[in-house]
Amino acid sequence: MELREIEIFLTLAEELHFGRTADRLHLSQARVSQAIKKHERSIGALLFHRTSRVVRLTPLGERLRNDLRPLLRGINESTERARLIASGRAGVLRVGTTASNSLELRPFWDAFRAEYPDWDLRVRYQPFSKALDVLRRGDIDVFIGWLPVAEPDLTAGPVMFTEPMVVALSPDHDLAARDAVNLEDLAAFAVIDTADSLPLDYIGVFNPFRTPRGRDIGRGPVAGDVEQVFDAIASGEIAQPLSGHAARYHLRPDVTYRPFRQDWTTSWGPIWRTENENAGIRALAAVLSALGPRAL
């Protein structure tokens, strides 16, 4: 299998859609189909079950995906390391964050770049619903997310900032007429549904399943990224708790914010795969720890 064909196979295994795979790789759908058929002929078995509506991996396709994914990642990382060494860099550190307060986070990145100029730091926005999957897959090295996280394969670093929670509402929502909202009020409404895209105890940090008194909080429409969350808020379908910086960075005429009467705060910091810890991650954690948490 040629390297490009491996990339086609793994991208289709992720997207499970020929059109999206072709768009992502800047190829024609015919080229994608030809590459997959070539794989299947050389192996002697189907790698995908496909109909006019559904594309899914066969058990053999799943096995091949699991075997090839770390190999392709290793090849790409080795090539990138060689390029960086040739240019005098120590390596690249890829950081994904679902936090929207990019301006407030800039001092952390500036401090890292000043102290470790030989590292190529790349910070990108990461939709929250797939953040841990992307981290585990190795597409990013560090995820800046809310804390705590209790996954056995993940390590959480120092707290970067802590801030109060707010509730986001449509301007005509029943709760919007109040100066502040009680957590118990959420039991009468709904919050977003993440469709089990994240561990329940992790999503429950900001998207609780019960009020402090144990009353169930209903689930509304499924949302996988920030825009879907705000669309559901604006439509009046949900009363959504969010970290406080949302009120500063997501100003919309169809969304308003109210504080909670309770002292409810969230903390944010770096998360990484324990087995993938490297010099760059340790350096970033040291810089964040030296700067200390900020109250926003």
Side-chain angles (χ1 to χ4, degrees):
M1 296 173 72
E2 296 179 2
L3 187 60
R4 185 58 163 169
E5 292 174 341
I6 293 174
E7 186 179 22
I8 292 171
F9 167 75
L10 289 176
T11 304
L12 182 59
E14 180 181 337
E15 295 288 350
L16 296 178
H17 189 282
F18 280 84
R20 289 196 298 269
T21 298
D23 290 343
R24 183 167 153 185
L25 297 177
H26 305 291
L27 299 172
S28 68
Q29 290 192 44
R31 175 70 179 90
V32 173
S33 181
Q34 289 167 5
I36 298 304
K37 289 178 181 178
K38 180 180 177 182
H39 289 333
E40 292 176 332
R41 284 196 303 270
S42 64
I43 291 171
L46 289 176
L47 299 174
F48 294 90
H49 291 303
R50 39 208 188 264
T51 67
S52 58
R53 294 186 176 183
V54 176
V55 177
R56 60 185 174 87
L57 284 161
T58 64
L60 181 61
E62 292 179 358
R63 174 70 177 271
L64 185 62
R65 175 201 60 193
N66 295 341
D67 288 344
L68 289 179
R69 182 182 284 164
L71 294 177
L72 181 61
R73 183 166 64 244
I75 291 171
N76 290 337
E77 289 175 353
S78 295
T79 303
E80 180 70 3
R81 279 194 298 271
R83 185 188 68 79
L84 290 168
I85 291 170
S87 65
R89 294 294 187 99
V92 60
L93 188 63
R94 303 161 301 169
V95 175
T97 178
T98 193
S100 302
N101 55 338
S102 55
L103 181 62
E104 295 166 347
L105 298 183
R106 188 177 299 170
F108 294 110
W109 315 137
D110 290 346
F112 178 84
R113 290 184 174 110
E115 190 164 346
Y116 297 94
D118 52 339
W119 278 89
D120 183 7
L121 178 66
R122 302 175 185 176
V123 183
R124 300 289 185 271
Y125 173 75
Q126 177 62 55
F128 67 86
S129 62
K130 299 297 182 182
L132 297 188
D133 291 339
V134 170
L135 182 64
R136 287 176 167 131
R137 197 165 62 227
D139 293 343
I140 58 175
D141 303 301
V142 177
F143 169 55
I144 307 301
W146 60 93
L147 302 174
V149 60
E151 295 294 285
D153 61 326
L154 302 180
T155 296
V159 172
M160 297 172 66
F161 65 91
T162 299
E163 62 183 1
M165 292 285 287
V166 297
V167 61
L169 308 158
S170 65
D172 57 353
H173 194 281
D174 291 348
L175 296 178
R178 305 184 187 184
D179 293 332
V181 174
N182 193 302
L183 267 167
E184 293 298 323
D185 295 331
L186 297 181
F189 303 99
V191 297
I192 60 165
D193 186 354
T194 58
D196 299 330
S197 60
L198 290 167
L200 296 183
D201 58 344
Y202 188 55
I203 196 68
V205 171
F206 82 92
N207 206 42
F209 293 88
R210 291 178 180 81
T211 70
R213 295 181 182 176
R215 300 166 66 198
D216 289 338
I217 299 174
R219 260 41 192 172
V222 175
D225 60 35
V226 169
E227 287 305 313
Q228 291 175 333
V229 172
F230 279 99
D231 285 346
I233 295 167
S235 70
E237 295 177 84
I238 58 174
Q240 184 59 46
L242 293 173
S243 199
H245 67 264
R248 299 189 296 278
Y249 285 81
H250 292 279
L251 299 176
R252 297 174 41 147
D254 54 356
V255 174
T256 190
Y257 299 90
R258 295 293 182 271
F260 283 100
R261 296 190 185 281
Q262 291 85 352
D263 182 18
W264 183 16
T265 61
T266 51
S267 296
W268 292 69
I271 301 166
W272 62 87
R273 286 185 65 193
T274 305
E275 65 178 27
N276 283 0
E277 183 176 308
N278 58 30
I281 294 174
R282 289 190 291 272
L284 178 63
V287 169
L288 301 182
S289 181
L291 289 175
R294 299 187 171 197
L296 303 181

